[in-house]
Amino acid sequence: MAAALGAAALLAGGGVWWWLAGRSEPEPVAVPPEVCGGALPAGRSVAALLPAEGAPYAERLTPDFTLPSGFWCGVTAGGVYLDFDYWRDVSSAYDEELAEQSRSPANARIRRGTAHGYANESKAVLFVDCPSPSSGREETLKVQVQTRMHVVARGDRPVEEFERLVGDAARYVAAQVGCAPVEG
């Protein structure tokens, strides 16, 4: 009888251990201090917009700025994605977009020196003056940071964090493609 009770206790203990081992705690997300291949000192802002736990931080880069537009960088963690994109064009559509988006109460107007744009809880956009090296015509550089999923903002400050991120991104991209420097 003692042997049977001992075996049952051992079996029960093993079952509890197996059950607990299968229920591992989610890993904390570690965002590096610099993101997008080390180009942006925006780790704090990125971390504020990503979950604290879940799938590990990862990024993908397309650091080819020879094209007039494109995907530049994407970061992900915990099931949330942030994309950094840019466009360069002579179109007046950017002025129209800014005017339209500025009327929305969900958007906050933002300014970094002469660059201007808007931010909300899922994206931020900055428009930068950018002379064309080939034609000499004035173009506009549009830099955008956006999420494709719900943002988990720590401290409920997603607009501020998106604004900070787009400022850092616009400073970097403008320097890469030869546009006016972005201040602030």
Side-chain angles (χ1 to χ4, degrees), residues 43-103:
R44 182 186 69 199
S45 292
V46 169
L49 294 170
L50 297 174
E53 304 177 325
Y57 174 86
E59 61 184 51
R60 58 194 192 288
L61 296 169
T62 308
D64 180 7
F65 290 100
T66 60
L67 302 172
S69 65
F71 168 78
W72 164 46
C73 171
V75 301
T76 181
V80 174
Y81 298 87
L82 295 173
D83 289 330
F84 297 76
D85 303 288
Y86 69 97
W87 296 267
R88 185 175 173 169
D89 198 352
V90 294
S91 169
S92 64
Y94 295 145
D95 293 332
E96 293 167 14
E97 176 186 344
L98 179 61
E100 179 183 331
Q101 294 299 325
S102 295
R103 287 191 293 270

Side-chain angles (χ1 to χ4, degrees), residues 81-142:
Y81 298 87
L82 295 173
D83 289 330
F84 297 76
D85 303 288
Y86 69 97
W87 296 267
R88 185 175 173 169
D89 198 352
V90 294
S91 169
S92 64
Y94 295 145
D95 293 332
E96 293 167 14
E97 176 186 344
L98 179 61
E100 179 183 331
Q101 294 299 325
S102 295
R103 287 191 293 270
S104 170
N107 293 332
R109 287 198 65 139
I110 58 175
R111 186 174 280 287
R112 293 285 186 268
T114 59
H116 51 277
Y118 61 93
N120 58 44
E121 291 188 358
S122 64
K123 75 176 177 181
V125 176
L126 268 178
F127 299 96
V128 182
D129 292 334
C130 194
S132 170
S134 59
S135 69
R137 294 186 309 180
E138 191 66 31
E139 295 182 343
T140 301
L141 174 69
K142 175 183 177 181

Side-chain angles (χ1 to χ4, degrees), residues 154-170:
R154 298 182 202 148
D156 296 321
R157 300 183 340 240
V159 175
E160 293 171 20
E161 299 305 340
F162 273 112
E163 184 178 344
R164 191 170 317 174
L165 276 175
V166 80
D168 288 341

